[in-house]
Amino acid sequence: MRRADRLFQIIQILRRSSRPVTATMLAGELEISIRTVYRDMADLIGQRVPIAGEAGLGYILDSDYDMPPLMLTPDEIEAAVLGAQWVAQHSDPSLASAARDLIAKIAVAIPERLRPYIAEPSIGTKPVAGDPKETIDALQLRNAIRTGMKIRLRYRSEHGEETERIVWPIILGYAEAYRMLIAWCETRSDFRHFRTDRMIAAEVLDERIGLRKGELRRRWESWRNAREPAASR
């Protein structure tokens, strides 16, 4: 790896981490020596990159730091193509169109020599046999998640029982064969998973969930993490 690429990669690693990153962690990910990490960090700090920390404690990049985008590597291009292929095949029409537009924008932005990595990538996703039968607009669900609005949901269970409930949407998950809305259910006073192909109707209400942005998701993550150790026993 060229030194310039390595310095850029160090910044990328620091940018994606909210906690101090130790020299050992950087050395392991970049497959270089700790001495090289120390030298590179000194160079970056000398170039006025706002990195706080020191050897033995870890490094953290100032959250306000920004830099002009640099050229994507072949691996980064193929990672984007692979992700976009999956989204285009498994998501709703709006998100699928956005995935195709993303790849088109990347193709325009990169030089000619890198475009074969988009036109003829070395990786790919398995074609989908058929879309799940759905009557719900997934874009409507995603907008409710973004704006923190409640949803009145008419739902048919695996056994055919129909119920109506108010839910607080958290995330729309994408599995291989179906999509699933993860939400807090007012009726059950608990987190529940609702398959979109079993939804009969969904109405976004003019009522917010009443929590600070991100709080409901943090509660769900704590609930999920508490269940995972028990499930593995």
Side-chain angles (χ1 to χ4, degrees):
M1 179 185 298
R2 295 184 307 166
R3 180 175 174 277
D5 293 337
R6 190 174 68 242
L7 294 179
F8 174 66
Q9 192 60 36
I10 288 174
I11 293 176
Q12 292 293 81
I13 294 171
L14 295 177
R15 289 177 74 177
R16 71 177 186 239
S17 177
S18 59
R19 298 179 179 180
V21 181
T22 66
T24 300
M25 295 166 62
L26 288 167
E29 181 162 348
L30 297 173
E31 298 182 346
I32 58 177
S33 69
I34 293 180
R35 175 178 292 185
T36 300
V37 172
Y38 290 155
R39 186 171 61 247
D40 288 347
M41 296 304 296
D43 288 343
L44 287 170
I45 293 172
Q47 295 173 26
R48 301 183 182 274
V49 177
I51 298 174
E54 58 186 61
L57 299 178
Y59 303 93
I60 190 165
L61 183 67
D62 190 316
S63 60
D64 293 331
Y65 177 70
D66 197 11
M67 57 186 293
L70 300 182
M71 188 52 56
L72 298 175
T73 67
D75 283 347
E76 290 170 340
I77 292 173
E78 290 198 329
V81 171
L82 181 64
Q85 284 178 349
W86 196 95
V87 170
Q89 293 178 3
H90 292 80
S91 62
D92 58 274
S94 176
L95 208 56
S97 178
R100 290 188 289 268
D101 289 345
L102 171 63
I103 295 304
K105 289 179 180 179
I106 292 176
V108 171
I110 62 176
E112 185 69 30
R113 64 182 177 82
L114 292 175
R115 289 175 186 169
Y117 291 102
I118 292 181
E120 300 175 355
S122 63
I123 52 180
T125 59
K126 179 182 178 181
V128 178
D131 295 330
K133 303 300 181 182
E134 297 182 355
T135 59
I136 302 301
D137 182 2
L139 177 59
Q140 180 186 37
L141 301 180
R142 290 192 282 112
N143 284 337
I145 294 170
R146 291 169 179 168
T147 56
M149 308 302 287
K150 296 182 181 182
I151 297 176
R152 177 179 288 112
L153 193 64
R154 184 76 180 171
Y155 190 74
R156 180 183 296 108
S157 71
E158 180 181 3
H159 305 293
E161 177 186 5
E162 294 187 9
T163 58
E164 185 174 293
R165 57 189 78 191
I166 305 297
V167 302
W168 304 3
I170 303 169
I171 187 171
L172 186 60
Y174 288 76
E176 189 70 26
Y178 57 86
R179 292 181 275 273
M180 180 179 294
L181 178 68
I182 300 169
W184 170 265
C185 177
E186 291 187 356
T187 302
R188 304 300 185 190
S189 296
D190 203 355
F191 294 103
R192 288 289 187 270
H193 296 172
F194 303 95
R195 284 180 50 158
T196 55
D197 56 339
R198 294 177 183 165
M199 294 180 183
I200 303 171
E203 176 190 0
V204 178
L205 303 178
D206 188 22
E207 181 179 358
R208 298 189 178 277
I209 63 176
L211 295 175
R212 290 177 298 177
K213 186 173 180 62
E215 178 61 25
L216 182 60
R217 181 159 184 159
R218 286 190 288 272
R219 293 184 185 183
W220 166 68
E221 290 173 345
S222 297
W223 173 85
R224 180 192 59 187
N225 293 337
R227 289 169 59 91
E228 286 178 350
S232 63
R233 289 199 292 266

